[in-house]
Amino acid sequence: IASKLRSNGGLVIFFRYLVNEDVGMLKYFEGKSYIEKSRESPMEALKIGHPEFELHPELDIKDNDMIMNKTRYSAVFGSNIVEILNSKGIRNVIVTGVTTDVCAGNTAESLMQKDFHVVMVWDGCAALDRLEHELYLARIFGLYGDVMITEEVLTRLK
């Protein structure tokens, strides 16, 4: 999708989730994990300079792409993405991401609330289980925008 967007003159943006004592929603949570004792706290792992904060090295990131930090699950509330999209005259947004029902979904919902046309990519995000994923995408499709598989997105990006 990123490659096709670039070839059509579209903008590709990657987000990193920044959390520290001053910014980010996770600052309200405890600094340790109750899930697994060896799991590092998000308060440490999501700081600038930590390997977990960086984008995955296998992502297809090009020089003209934007890399932005966000401080909330939704990029709309945690960055200046709306101002950037508006300044470039962009009204249609394709959303992919790590968690369907958290960051990607919150961003998609918030973008629609700011009058963008949103497409969430069914196979471009995931949740902790398949049912959560599909229920959240049904919510998106019912209330906030379109849901398409990658193949359909690529076909429409001609």
Side-chain angles (χ1 to χ4, degrees), residues 1-6 10-18 53-71 75 78-81 84-85 93-98 103 107 124:
I1 294 173
S3 177
K4 187 74 164 186
L5 273 173
R6 288 183 202 109
L11 176 63
V12 177
I13 303 173
F14 293 92
F15 281 96
R16 299 180 297 194
Y17 189 25
L18 173 64
F53 174 74
E54 299 306 322
L55 296 171
H56 195 279
E58 292 182 28
L59 286 171
D60 180 30
I61 303 169
K62 302 296 185 202
D63 290 340
N64 288 339
D65 296 341
M66 292 183 73
I67 298 174
M68 298 180 67
N69 296 335
K70 64 183 180 100
T71 58
S79 75
N80 65 336
I81 185 62
I84 289 170
L85 295 173
V93 181
I94 301 167
V95 177
T96 63
V98 176
C103 294
T107 297

Side-chain angles (χ1 to χ4, degrees), residues 76 91 93 106-118 140 143-145:
V76 171
R91 302 306 317 150
V93 181
N106 275 269
T107 297
E109 289 181 16
S110 301
L111 285 167
M112 177 273 180
Q113 297 284 0
K114 294 287 188 176
D115 298 320
F116 291 91
H117 174 249
V118 176
I140 293 293
L143 300 169
Y144 296 100

